[in-house]
Amino acid sequence: MTRQRRFTADASHHLRTPLATARAAAEIALRGDLSTEDVPETLEDVLVEIREMEEIVDGMLQLARFDAEAVEMPVCRLDFATLVTEICHRMNGIASSKGLHLFSELATDDPILLMGHEASLKRLVAALIDNAIRYTPSGSVTVRTAKTLHSVECAVVDTGIGITSEAIPHIFERFFRTDEAKALVNGGSGLGLAIAKWVVERHGGEISASSAEGQFTMVRFSLPLYREPGVKR
């Protein structure tokens, strides 16, 4: 119950600012205080706030389902290498629109088989790439995979603004955003990494991050490989 109250309080707090900003802009427009030239810019500001609220609400609903254990996650055998390639291809346009290069570096041409919930794993990889793109003004985002004896390791590395050492231990907490993220026009909802952590741990894996301010951020996770029935580790 304490966790639910905290979640509700945090959600209310994070929705209050975009709601207030959008309302103020709309009221100014309705009063007729804007010049004709200023109207499009004001409407764009409202849309930015609406998009932020949509992102927050979407993340809240997902995490609420997680907490209620209402998310069905039927698993199947899948090729993680193909999944990563598909997501990188899909998100290349987003990176290009910001002048960034998105690279995928697969450790092997062979399939990387694991048992997983395909939709959740796609959301995981896409969320980490989106996060990296969001906080990288210039340079590149690279997705690397490596296969060990029992697991697949995936790292998303960017050349972005970085994260302070004080903030690193908190970045997977719900609604946590660094001061640098808050300063951005679209600094995210603070829920993406919390969702990523849940997906990884639900698949029996681990996730961590490292960073250097103004240089890079790397989010790395590992997932257990598929084992043929009856085969011991």
Side-chain angles (χ1 to χ4, degrees), residues 3 62 99 112-113 115 166 212 215 218:
R3 186 174 184 177
Q62 188 67 54
I112 302 176
L113 300 179
M115 292 295 292
E166 293 80 11
Q215 298 181 48
M218 177 172 65

PDB file of all heavy atoms in Angstrom, residues 3 62 99 112-113 115 166 212 215 218:
ATOM      1  N   ARG A   3       3.806   1.624  -1.289  1.00  0.00           N
ATOM      2  CA  ARG A   3       4.348   1.795  -2.628  1.00  0.00           C
ATOM      3  C   ARG A   3       3.305   2.396  -3.561  1.00  0.00           C
ATOM      4  O   ARG A   3       3.612   3.247  -4.392  1.00  0.00           O
ATOM      5  CB  ARG A   3       4.816   0.441  -3.163  1.00  0.00           C
ATOM      6  CG  ARG A   3       5.526   0.540  -4.509  1.00  0.00           C
ATOM      7  CD  ARG A   3       6.079  -0.803  -4.909  1.00  0.00           C
ATOM      8  NE  ARG A   3       6.844  -0.704  -6.136  1.00  0.00           N
ATOM      9  CZ  ARG A   3       7.491  -1.735  -6.675  1.00  0.00           C
ATOM     10  NH1 ARG A   3       7.470  -2.918  -6.087  1.00  0.00           N
ATOM     11  NH2 ARG A   3       8.171  -1.583  -7.792  1.00  0.00           N
ATOM     12  N   GLN A  62       1.695   1.022 -17.680  1.00  0.00           N
ATOM     13  CA  GLN A  62       2.513  -0.177 -17.793  1.00  0.00           C
ATOM     14  C   GLN A  62       3.010  -0.628 -16.428  1.00  0.00           C
ATOM     15  O   GLN A  62       2.926  -1.818 -16.074  1.00  0.00           O
ATOM     16  CB  GLN A  62       3.698   0.091 -18.715  1.00  0.00           C
ATOM     17  CG  GLN A  62       4.507  -1.147 -19.064  1.00  0.00           C
ATOM     18  CD  GLN A  62       3.725  -2.126 -19.928  1.00  0.00           C
ATOM     19  OE1 GLN A  62       3.214  -1.776 -20.964  1.00  0.00           O
ATOM     20  NE2 GLN A  62       3.625  -3.365 -19.477  1.00  0.00           N
ATOM     21  N   GLY A  99      20.629  13.984 -36.468  1.00  0.00           N
ATOM     22  CA  GLY A  99      22.014  14.075 -36.915  1.00  0.00           C
ATOM     23  C   GLY A  99      22.925  13.076 -36.243  1.00  0.00           C
ATOM     24  O   GLY A  99      24.149  13.266 -36.213  1.00  0.00           O
ATOM     25  N   ILE A 112      21.167 -15.863 -31.715  1.00  0.00           N
ATOM     26  CA  ILE A 112      21.347 -15.820 -30.264  1.00  0.00           C
ATOM     27  C   ILE A 112      19.993 -16.164 -29.661  1.00  0.00           C
ATOM     28  O   ILE A 112      19.115 -15.304 -29.535  1.00  0.00           O
ATOM     29  CB  ILE A 112      21.832 -14.436 -29.790  1.00  0.00           C
ATOM     30  CG1 ILE A 112      23.144 -14.061 -30.486  1.00  0.00           C
ATOM     31  CG2 ILE A 112      22.015 -14.422 -28.283  1.00  0.00           C
ATOM     32  CD1 ILE A 112      23.644 -12.668 -30.160  1.00  0.00           C
ATOM     33  N   LEU A 113      19.821 -17.418 -29.317  1.00  0.00           N
ATOM     34  CA  LEU A 113      18.503 -17.897 -28.920  1.00  0.00           C
ATOM     35  C   LEU A 113      18.265 -17.742 -27.421  1.00  0.00           C
ATOM     36  O   LEU A 113      19.148 -18.030 -26.597  1.00  0.00           O
ATOM     37  CB  LEU A 113      18.346 -19.366 -29.310  1.00  0.00           C
ATOM     38  CG  LEU A 113      18.473 -19.687 -30.807  1.00  0.00           C
ATOM     39  CD1 LEU A 113      18.310 -21.186 -31.038  1.00  0.00           C
ATOM     40  CD2 LEU A 113      17.446 -18.908 -31.623  1.00  0.00           C
ATOM     41  N   MET A 115      14.660 -17.661 -24.433  1.00  0.00           N
ATOM     42  CA  MET A 115      13.230 -17.749 -24.202  1.00  0.00           C
ATOM     43  C   MET A 115      12.769 -16.405 -23.661  1.00  0.00           C
ATOM     44  O   MET A 115      13.274 -15.932 -22.636  1.00  0.00           O
ATOM     45  CB  MET A 115      12.910 -18.854 -23.202  1.00  0.00           C
ATOM     46  CG  MET A 115      13.178 -20.250 -23.727  1.00  0.00           C
ATOM     47  SD  MET A 115      12.113 -20.720 -25.123  1.00  0.00           S
ATOM     48  CE  MET A 115      10.521 -20.821 -24.315  1.00  0.00           C
ATOM     49  N   GLU A 166      26.716  10.586  -8.767  1.00  0.00           N
ATOM     50  CA  GLU A 166      25.707  10.610  -7.707  1.00  0.00           C
ATOM     51  C   GLU A 166      24.351  10.116  -8.204  1.00  0.00           C
ATOM     52  O   GLU A 166      23.570   9.520  -7.453  1.00  0.00           O
ATOM     53  CB  GLU A 166      25.551  12.024  -7.147  1.00  0.00           C
ATOM     54  CG  GLU A 166      26.753  12.571  -6.399  1.00  0.00           C
ATOM     55  CD  GLU A 166      27.838  13.089  -7.333  1.00  0.00           C
ATOM     56  OE1 GLU A 166      27.576  13.223  -8.549  1.00  0.00           O
ATOM     57  OE2 GLU A 166      28.949  13.362  -6.841  1.00  0.00           O
ATOM     58  N   ALA A 212      30.162   8.786 -17.854  1.00  0.00           N
ATOM     59  CA  ALA A 212      31.098   9.867 -17.540  1.00  0.00           C
ATOM     60  C   ALA A 212      30.479  11.144 -18.088  1.00  0.00           C
ATOM     61  O   ALA A 212      30.075  11.192 -19.253  1.00  0.00           O
ATOM     62  CB  ALA A 212      32.462   9.616 -18.176  1.00  0.00           C
ATOM     63  N   GLN A 215      30.673  12.723 -21.766  1.00  0.00           N
ATOM     64  CA  GLN A 215      31.403  11.788 -22.614  1.00  0.00           C
ATOM     65  C   GLN A 215      30.542  10.632 -23.117  1.00  0.00           C
ATOM     66  O   GLN A 215      30.407  10.431 -24.321  1.00  0.00           O
ATOM     67  CB  GLN A 215      32.604  11.222 -21.847  1.00  0.00           C
ATOM     68  CG  GLN A 215      33.613  12.285 -21.430  1.00  0.00           C
ATOM     69  CD  GLN A 215      34.795  11.675 -20.698  1.00  0.00           C
ATOM     70  OE1 GLN A 215      35.381  10.691 -21.155  1.00  0.00           O
ATOM     71  NE2 GLN A 215      35.147  12.244 -19.557  1.00  0.00           N
ATOM     72  N   MET A 218      26.518   4.200 -20.780  1.00  0.00           N
ATOM     73  CA  MET A 218      26.312   2.843 -21.245  1.00  0.00           C
ATOM     74  C   MET A 218      25.344   2.131 -20.306  1.00  0.00           C
ATOM     75  O   MET A 218      25.567   2.084 -19.092  1.00  0.00           O
ATOM     76  CB  MET A 218      27.626   2.058 -21.296  1.00  0.00           C
ATOM     77  CG  MET A 218      27.429   0.597 -21.713  1.00  0.00           C
ATOM     78  SD  MET A 218      28.991  -0.292 -22.006  1.00  0.00           S
ATOM     79  CE  MET A 218      29.696  -0.281 -20.350  1.00  0.00           C
TER      80      MET A 218
END
